[in-house]
Amino acid sequence: MLTFFSEDSRLRRARTELHDGALVSPFECPERIDLVLRHIRQAGFEVRTPEAYGLGPVHAVHDADYVSFLETCWPSWQAAGHEGEAIPNIWPARSMRSDHVPRSVSGKLGYYALGADTSLCEGTFSAAMGSKDAALGAVAHTLHTQAPSFALCRPPGHHAASDQFGGYCFFNNAAIAAQYALDAGKRRVAVLDVDFHHGNGTQEIFYTRNDVLFASLHGDPEVTFPYYLGYADETGAGEGQGYNLNFPLPPGTSVAAWMQALEQALAAIQAQECELLIVSLGVDIFEDDPISAFTFKSADFIALGERLAQAGLPTTFLMEGGYAVEEIGVNVVNVLQGFERESPQDR
């Protein structure tokens, strides 16, 4: 399976993450890329550098002022004399105004952040640009050839909303790729999110639209990040009513129960006559992932890939989460090889 990857994805190397009350080294780190790449190459997949697509596809789904903030935050943070990485410490909470963006970089940081988990550092904007280029290169390949593709995106994207970053995400790669496909002539696109954490950003971007069906299988937000979105009663609004499907699942959910939810999601994708499948591929559903709570073993990812191939749609996989570093590459490749095993004509 053709893989797209930008070396610019390495340019973000954050040192700080707030996790369970402690400042720790981020779980999302450049080393994840090397582990996946090693197994991708061992599997014989070609790795291709994407072209630079610029900011046009980004602006198609993200607020222009938000994009400008991401581009200028780090130099502005340094110019303000701050020594550490850019981490927000206040937000426009329910008791405050949310209709005004402060001039201060500290105020802007809180305005555009979902939480304090994700720092901004040198290289963040360039890495996010490279990540979305990989996504666009992959989906463009699938649109042109009908063959499946994989984008090794880093940073990931599904937590990034139209004007907010968080959960290690800055640009929403899946949303950018889906909009690109629509602009290329597709009538309706499906985004299937199998990451352990709900793709709140993708949901927010498409919630009132019927040209993208968003379906997410994820940990129950009652007890799982991002907590404030991802409930089953969130089914879309306006023209988007019925085009947002959430399958919140409790910690410890078995693979069999998870696959039953997948069947429901795929049935909806088929019923809505989607013409392209974009998979937000988070392999943090693995049993030993350090910040997740599902029960997939490495062999189960093969079955996942096989079942996705049976949907019979042109498919692009985009890398999201997965933090069990020793197994992440194995699990990614198992999905992709399982998919190809079930659809050998698309190789």
Side-chain angles (χ1 to χ4, degrees), residues 75-195:
S76 297
W77 184 259
Q78 290 184 303
H82 301 302
E83 295 183 1
E85 294 181 324
I87 304 174
N89 62 2
I90 190 168
W91 293 263
R94 290 189 298 274
S95 60
M96 295 184 177
R97 291 181 60 176
S98 59
D99 62 339
H100 180 74
V101 185
R103 289 197 304 272
S104 163
V105 65
S106 295
K108 288 181 178 179
L109 189 64
Y111 183 85
Y112 289 118
L114 289 167
D117 62 306
T118 301
S119 63
L120 268 157
C121 64
E122 184 177 10
T124 293
F125 184 79
S126 296
M129 290 288 284
S131 187
K132 62 84 182 170
D133 284 340
L136 288 167
V139 76
H141 173 76
T142 296
L143 290 171
H144 180 67
T145 66
Q146 303 300 296
S149 60
F150 171 58
L152 183 47
C153 296
R154 194 233 166 216
H158 70 151
H159 293 306
S162 58
D163 63 353
Q164 286 187 301
F165 72 93
Y168 314 132
C169 303
F170 303 94
F171 293 152
N172 193 305
N173 302 311
I176 291 169
Q179 186 62 54
Y180 183 89
L182 293 169
D183 292 342
K186 292 298 181 185
R187 183 183 63 86
R188 179 169 295 130
V189 174
V191 178
L192 174 65
D193 194 323
V194 300
D195 191 282

Side-chain angles (χ1 to χ4, degrees), residues 222-247:
E222 287 283 2
V223 294
T224 300
F225 180 93
Y227 300 110
Y228 305 108
L229 214 61
Y231 294 88
D233 63 353
E234 298 159 9
T235 56
E239 292 184 356
Q241 179 62 49
Y243 290 88
N244 193 90
L245 301 175
N246 286 325
F247 299 90

Side-chain angles (χ1 to χ4, degrees), residues 281-303:
L281 181 59
V283 295
D284 49 358
I285 55 178
F286 182 59
E287 61 181 352
D288 291 331
D289 193 276
I291 55 175
S292 306
F294 283 168
T295 60
F296 268 63
K297 299 182 184 300
S298 290
D300 295 320
F301 288 97
I302 299 173

Side-chain angles (χ1 to χ4, degrees), residues 1-4 40 43-47 141-142 147-151 315-317 333 335-341 343 346-347:
M1 186 179 299
L2 189 59
T3 295
F4 289 82
I40 286 287
F45 295 152
E46 178 187 350
V47 179
H141 173 76
T142 296
S149 60
F150 171 58
T315 302
T316 293
F317 294 89
V333 168
V335 173
L336 304 182
Q337 288 186 323
F339 188 96
E340 285 200 332
R341 179 180 303 173
S343 55
D346 289 335
R347 284 202 291 262

